[in-house]
């Protein structure tokens, strides 16, 4: 809920900023930009990937009385991708932004009993993302335009270990399916510079598939569902 509230705040802030820009009008850059049907560019981004964890209903029966809590801890990674944008109408475009993303997540298991200890399982991923989104922008004011974006994406995890055999005690891995589908939503600002358009965007995405591959380890048996969630801050450069 905090992420949703923050995204809504950013969207409201982004749409309010151009109103203030009316007070300081300067030279108009790239006035012909929205007249072109297709645009291309690239983006770089910083991501924070995490899991939405659903533990089994009877944790003690699945994993023993000593396992008390399971938590997910996010890590920071980066994205590099291509931007292609098709103009649909005056204030709406269709965007396809495939990228490669590197990220990792930690799942922390807290045990309490004769001994109290934590076990952390690190899940590293290399994603190929294929998002298709609808972008709705505001009217351009001076050299600034705000927008909101939403759509669906398909993700392929090239580093998935779904076929690994967990046969070595202490070295068990959390096995995940290598394909996911999800939705995403966000907001951003476009800045028209003399030679290109620069954008800043905040986007939230949530996976729809249960990624967990069950096996006989205590770490998998204690989990019912694992879904992916990602926050991405990106910087776009479009011609």
């Amino acid at each position: 809920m905090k992420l949703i509230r923050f995204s809504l705040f950013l969207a409201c802030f982004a749409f309010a900023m151009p109103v203030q820009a009316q007070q300081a009008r300067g030279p108009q850059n790239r006035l012909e930009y929205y007249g072109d049907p297709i645009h291309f560019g690239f983006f770089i981004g910083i991501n924070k990937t995490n899991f939405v964890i659903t533990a089994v209903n009877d944790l003690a029966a699945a994993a023993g009385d000593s396992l008390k809590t399971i938590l997910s801890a996010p890590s920071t990674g980066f994205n590099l991708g291509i931007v292609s944008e098709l103009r649909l109408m005056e204030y709406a475009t269709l965007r396809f932004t495939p990228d490669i993303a590197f990220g990792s997540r930690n799942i922390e298991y807290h045990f309490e009993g004769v001994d109290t200890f934590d076990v952390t399982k690190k899940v590293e991923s290399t994603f190929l993302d294929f998002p298709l989104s609808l972008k709705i922008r505001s009217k351009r004011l001076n050299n600034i335009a705000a927008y909101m974006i939403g759509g669906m994406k398909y993700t392929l995890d090239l580093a998935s270990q779904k076929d690994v055999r967990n046969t070595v005690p202490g070295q068990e891995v959390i096995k995940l399916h290598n394909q996911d589908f999800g939705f995403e939503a966000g907001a951003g600002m476009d800045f028209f510079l003399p030679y290109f358009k620069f954008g800043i965007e905040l986007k939230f995405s949530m996976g729809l598939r249960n990624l967990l591959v069950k096996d006989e380890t205590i770490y998998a048996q204690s989990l019912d569902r694992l879904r992916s969630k990602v926050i991405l801050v990106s910087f776009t450069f479009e011609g």
Side-chain angles (χ1 to χ4, degrees):
M1 289 301 295
K2 290 182 179 179
L3 295 176
I4 295 174
R5 287 197 295 268
F6 181 73
S7 297
L8 290 174
F9 169 78
L10 182 71
C12 294
F13 177 74
F15 274 88
M17 281 188 64
V19 176
Q20 300 180 2
Q22 297 181 78
Q23 308 300 322
R25 291 186 177 275
Q28 301 291 293
N29 298 321
R30 305 298 305 274
L31 287 175
E32 79 292 347
Y33 186 87
Y34 288 122
D36 297 333
I38 300 176
H39 290 280
F40 297 98
F42 70 94
F43 75 90
I44 56 176
I46 301 171
N47 69 63
K48 187 164 288 258
T49 59
N50 206 349
F51 285 122
V52 176
I53 291 179
T54 304
V56 296
N57 291 328
D58 192 347
L59 194 59
D65 293 334
S66 62
L67 178 57
K68 299 301 181 183
T69 57
I70 308 173
L71 301 174
S72 177
S75 296
T76 301
F78 68 94
N79 297 52
L80 180 63
I82 299 170
V83 177
S84 55
E85 183 174 88
L86 173 66
R87 183 174 182 264
L88 301 178
M89 55 186 68
E90 186 175 6
Y91 297 107
T93 56
L94 188 66
R95 286 169 71 85
F96 180 53
T97 54
D99 70 74
I100 184 169
F102 303 90
S104 64
R105 295 150 287 188
N106 293 324
I107 302 179
E108 300 172 351
Y109 298 81
H110 181 67
F111 294 85
E112 292 181 5
V114 177
D115 296 317
T116 297
F117 60 96
D118 295 331
V119 175
T120 299
K121 293 297 180 180
K122 187 173 185 177
V123 181
E124 295 184 323
S125 297
T126 301
F127 301 112
L128 289 180
D129 294 321
F130 300 92
L132 185 64
S133 306
L134 179 66
K135 175 180 175 180
I136 305 295
R137 68 174 179 88
S138 69
K139 182 178 180 180
R140 174 175 166 170
L141 296 173
N142 201 14
N143 288 313
I144 301 175
Y147 66 87
M148 299 187 72
I149 193 168
M152 303 292 293
K153 75 172 182 178
Y154 165 75
T155 298
L156 178 65
D157 186 356
L158 301 180
S160 169
Q161 301 187 69
K162 66 184 182 70
D163 297 321
V164 168
R165 296 172 62 93
N166 281 321
T167 58
V168 181
Q171 298 184 21
E172 301 92 342
V173 300
I174 305 298
K175 299 192 290 185
L176 304 179
H177 292 289
N178 64 346
Q179 298 183 68
D180 195 11
F181 301 89
F183 68 88
E184 54 184 18
M189 300 288 294
D190 284 331
F191 301 90
F192 293 85
L193 304 179
Y195 300 106
F196 62 93
K197 178 168 69 69
F198 172 70
I200 302 175
E201 179 179 291
L202 174 65
K203 188 163 59 177
F204 171 79
S205 65
M206 176 70 76
L208 299 177
R209 186 181 186 187
N210 180 12
L211 295 175
L212 180 66
V213 176
K214 281 279 194 177
D215 61 18
E216 299 305 316
T217 67
I218 187 175
Y219 307 106
Q221 290 298 314
S222 59
L223 297 171
D224 182 45
R225 293 177 61 84
L226 283 179
R227 293 169 60 200
S228 178
K229 66 177 180 180
V230 180
I231 296 176
L232 174 64
V233 177
S234 58
F235 306 91
T236 62
F237 303 83
E238 298 173 63

